[in-house]
Amino acid sequence: MTRSKYSLLDQLEQLLKGIAMMKELTLRTRDYLVSFGECMSTRIFAAYMNKLGKKARQYDAFDIGFITTDDFTNADILEVTYPTVAKRLNGDWMDDPAIPIVTGFLGKGCKSCAVTTLGRGGSDLTATTIGKSLGLREIQVWKDVDGVLTCDPNIYANAIPVPYLTFDEAAELAYFGAQVLHPQSMRPAREGGIPVRVKNSYNRHAPGTVITKSRDMSKSILTSIVLKSNVTMLDIVSTRMLGQYGFLAKVFSIFEDLGISVDCVATSEVSISLTLDPSKLWSRELIQQELDHVIEELEKIAVVHLLQKRSIISLIGNVQRSSLILEKAFNVLRRNGVNVQMISQGASKVNISLVVNDSEAKQCVQALHSAFFENGFLSEVEAADVPQNGSLNSNGAIYGN
């Protein structure tokens, strides 16, 4: 598996000739192919560091203990990785200190011993895995934005950085559309209790966003607004008698059998409204033929209404203040003439999700951001929370004058 810096290009040339000759590119071969770029760039960077007088040592992740499942293009890190990586990096540092330059998103299959890739967020996952292995006090992830923002700056230019997040908030943000961090990449840091700081490579003096296990939420209301577009929504109503036993179980068993992931759900005794995320279906967009098959199966037990071109607007924040968030949000949407078609709240302790038409979604995000973050809303809430004729003792009790 070890690759000499002199033989990398020769190996790549041989691999490409083999692919061209066989006219076939398996997932295993694809992982091996895409690994060359990372292996060469880290060698170049380590050489440049050494030229500058900063002693550095290059490592291929699959050679220092990154052991994964054999799910090519989307492998998962196995637990044996942590002690193995720690032993190798700590041992080398003790023998001959040098800055480790490690390839991102690569590993070695536990059974095949072939090169694997870690899928989306794999480079960040590599960083957090090393951080957990070495028990570091902080992990830094460098991006092209000033941390996690209050909304997508491509939707609304007035988005501002969020200074602090919990891992729960960051996971919800990522799951519902934020591109800064993938939930899977934060798992080792979360398990190890290590803070993750998101910094900007193009603005290194910006403080960024610090993600921790918990934070003081007493003054927090809304943290960020996330938009996920091109969502399919289904309204499913039971054709049987009221309270039909097992209706929910039957519906979700159909999605399980077809390998379909459900995003948001709202239920009553005989009806279910839910959304499907195209990107989670068979690693590509759901085509109409497959969607027709889903509906055909569901129509055996229910009446189904298909609603496409919908968007999920997720309000990530302090759900202990959900009444306040919803009051403000619905007032904003009403003034903009927008009807919410579905609301999902409760399963997540940090997320309220609203479903609207795709055509209205960006306008909604802009209006909501302006209302929550730009017009003195937080100051108004803080003023309203302070008793007019009394004071708080250390236990929170109010004493009047």
Side-chain angles (χ1 to χ4, degrees):
M1 184 75 69
T2 302
R3 302 178 182 183
S4 164
K5 62 183 178 181
Y6 301 109
S7 64
L8 272 172
L9 292 176
D10 290 337
Q11 292 177 35
L12 178 58
E13 182 181 11
Q14 292 173 11
L15 176 61
L16 292 172
K17 286 180 178 178
I19 294 170
M21 183 177 296
M22 297 299 295
K23 294 181 172 60
E24 181 181 46
L25 183 62
T26 64
L27 294 181
R28 175 172 173 163
T29 304
R30 180 182 173 185
D31 274 3
Y32 185 41
L33 175 62
V34 301
S35 73
F36 280 87
E38 192 76 2
C39 292
M40 287 189 281
S41 63
T42 49
R43 283 166 170 77
I44 292 170
F45 187 71
Y48 181 66
M49 292 281 287
N50 283 309
K51 184 178 180 180
L52 293 177
K54 306 293 184 181
K55 190 172 181 179
R57 183 181 296 114
Q58 190 275 346
Y59 293 95
D60 293 327
F62 44 75
D63 277 340
I64 63 169
F66 274 77
I67 308 301
T68 73
T69 60
D70 286 286
D71 301 312
F72 296 103
T73 73
N74 194 32
D76 194 14
I77 296 285
L78 297 182
E79 199 67 24
V80 67
T81 295
Y82 301 110
T84 309
V85 169
K87 182 179 179 181
R88 175 65 183 275
L89 293 182
N90 281 327
D92 284 359
W93 181 267
M94 295 296 292
D95 293 340
D96 183 17
I99 300 170
I101 310 296
V102 185
T103 57
F105 71 83
L106 301 179
K108 179 167 67 175
C110 60
K111 296 180 180 178
S112 65
C113 293
V115 174
T116 58
T117 61
L118 305 179
R120 184 182 165 196
S123 290
D124 294 339
L125 177 57
T126 301
T128 55
T129 298
I130 293 172
K132 180 184 175 183
S133 299
L134 301 179
L136 303 181
R137 66 176 183 271
E138 180 179 285
I139 298 165
Q140 293 186 357
V141 179
W142 291 76
K143 300 292 183 177
D144 58 358
V145 291
D146 289 344
V148 179
L149 304 181
T150 47
C151 75
D152 185 343
N154 295 316
I155 295 176
Y156 193 48
N158 289 0
I160 57 176
V162 177
Y164 299 99
L165 282 176
T166 65
F167 284 113
D168 286 338
E169 289 175 307
E172 290 291 325
L173 282 166
Y175 185 82
F176 283 97
Q179 301 297 313
V180 177
L181 285 174
H182 191 271
Q184 184 77 355
S185 69
M186 292 180 286
R187 188 188 65 197
R190 183 173 190 163
E191 292 171 350
I194 303 171
V196 175
R197 187 182 298 269
V198 182
K199 298 274 286 179
N200 188 350
S201 301
Y202 302 99
N203 183 18
R204 59 191 181 90
H205 297 296
T209 299
V210 179
I211 306 171
T212 54
K213 186 174 182 180
S214 61
R215 68 185 182 99
D216 181 10
M217 300 288 287
S218 60
K219 294 185 179 181
S220 175
I221 299 174
L222 199 64
T223 302
S224 186
I225 304 169
V226 188
L227 175 64
K228 180 186 284 188
S229 301
N230 190 31
V231 168
T232 297
M233 179 175 168
L234 293 177
D235 285 332
I236 307 165
V237 182
S238 173
T239 55
R240 306 292 179 88
M241 59 188 294
L242 186 68
Q244 174 67 22
Y245 177 77
F247 174 61
L248 291 177
K250 290 178 182 177
V251 168
F252 285 101
S253 69
I254 290 172
F255 287 109
E256 181 181 9
D257 291 343
L258 297 175
I260 296 177
S261 177
V262 174
D263 271 348
C264 297
V265 181
T267 67
S268 70
E269 200 166 14
V270 292
S271 65
I272 307 172
S273 294
L274 51 81
T275 60
L276 310 177
D277 176 15
S279 67
K280 293 190 180 65
L281 304 170
W282 304 285
S283 300
R284 56 180 170 78
E285 289 197 1
L286 183 67
I287 62 175
Q288 190 61 45
Q289 181 181 1
E290 293 163 330
L291 196 53
D292 291 341
H293 182 50
V294 173
I295 295 172
E296 181 182 343
E297 291 297 311
L298 289 171
E299 284 181 337
K300 295 177 182 178
I301 59 170
V303 175
V304 182
H305 297 286
L306 173 67
L307 303 168
Q308 293 181 294
K309 296 184 178 179
R310 298 300 190 268
S311 289
I312 301 173
I313 298 174
S314 295
L315 306 175
I316 312 297
N318 185 359
V319 182
Q320 298 299 320
R321 310 295 293 272
S322 61
S323 296
L324 181 61
I325 294 172
L326 288 170
E327 177 189 14
K328 186 71 173 179
F330 277 103
N331 280 335
V332 170
L333 297 178
R334 177 180 56 80
R335 288 197 300 270
N336 284 269
V338 175
N339 281 321
V340 175
Q341 299 170 30
M342 173 180 157
I343 178 171
S344 179
Q345 180 201 349
S348 166
K349 303 308 178 188
V350 297
N351 181 13
I352 300 171
S353 291
L354 312 173
V355 178
V356 300
N357 290 325
D358 266 348
S359 58
E360 304 169 321
K362 290 184 178 180
Q363 168 199 346
C364 291
V365 171
Q366 293 166 0
L368 288 167
H369 191 282
S370 178
F372 278 100
F373 295 106
E374 298 173 55
N375 294 328
F377 173 67
L378 183 58
S379 298
E380 292 175 11
V381 173
E382 289 176 345
D385 286 344
V386 174
Q388 296 299 312
N389 295 303
S391 59
L392 292 175
N393 73 352
S394 60
N395 296 318
I398 299 176
Y399 291 95
N401 294 324

